[in-house]
Amino acid sequence: MNTEHHDKFMRMAIALSEQNVAQGLGGPFGAVIVKDGEVIAASGNKVVPSNDPTAHAEVSTIRLACQKLGTFSLEGCVIYTSCEPCPMCLGAIYWARLDKIYYANTKSDAAEIGFDDQFIYEELDRPMTERKLPVVQLLRDEALGAFKTWADSTSKTHY
């Protein structure tokens, strides 16, 4: 795909971010997923209208693309996002197996307008016992039963 095509899809993601702000739908973020030069899914940030803190533009677009393609794997697809993905979205992009990320604004640009995820990066570097959000392990031996059943299953779907 040539630069002109990449620019077209990025402009779509940027337009979604602008539309989100203009319509009062939430943060200035948009994303588009493309496969073989065709738009599979597109979405703005849906956190506010859906009351879902995980409904960032990238995650919302991944959900739509997976529904449309009928799969949990987006191999062969790329994502265009109006901003460098936050830690959650980056994780979702990896889990969805997208082939490539194209982004416009940086995480520093986002931080300058109040969307600063630096504290999450810092928390991930700390031992669990030193994190601001308490983390407590309970009933590991009981929970291992489900893991053993999964490991022994011959009918599981790998993902």
Side-chain angles (χ1 to χ4, degrees):
M1 209 176 333
N2 63 33
T3 302
E4 184 178 306
H5 283 94
H6 293 304
D7 290 354
K8 176 179 97 170
F9 297 128
M10 183 58 75
R11 285 189 177 104
M12 291 173 72
I14 292 167
L16 286 165
S17 71
E18 292 170 339
Q19 178 183 340
N20 234 38
V21 176
Q23 294 179 356
L25 297 175
F29 305 100
V32 176
I33 292 178
V34 174
K35 182 174 187 173
D36 299 326
E38 176 188 339
V39 174
I40 302 301
S43 182
N45 178 291
K46 303 289 183 213
V47 170
V48 172
S50 67
N51 292 317
D52 179 354
T54 68
H56 290 196
E58 297 92 337
V59 171
S60 296
T61 306
I62 288 168
R63 290 172 180 163
L64 291 169
C66 288
Q67 274 185 332
K68 181 172 182 178
L69 296 176
T71 181
F72 53 79
S73 174
L74 296 177
E75 288 181 76
C77 298
V78 297
I79 189 165
Y80 296 83
T81 178
S82 64
C83 187
E84 183 177 354
C86 74
M88 177 186 70
C89 292
L90 185 59
I93 289 167
Y94 274 102
W95 281 116
R97 297 185 183 93
L98 286 150
D99 290 359
K100 195 168 197 174
I101 303 167
Y102 294 91
Y103 70 95
N105 293 317
T106 66
K107 62 184 178 183
S108 296
D109 296 329
E112 287 179 22
I113 62 162
F115 294 94
D116 190 352
D117 298 321
Q118 186 58 36
F119 75 98
I120 296 173
Y121 292 107
E122 291 169 4
E123 283 289 289
L124 291 172
D125 283 339
R126 293 177 194 203
M128 279 200 261
T129 57
E130 294 176 22
R131 292 184 183 166
K132 292 178 180 145
L133 182 65
V135 179
V136 180
Q137 184 177 24
L138 295 172
L139 304 177
R140 177 176 180 255
D141 291 340
E142 289 181 35
L144 283 173
F147 278 21
K148 178 163 180 13
T149 302
W150 170 264
D152 295 342
S153 175
T154 57
S155 62
K156 62 187 165 210
T157 301
H158 290 277
Y159 59 95

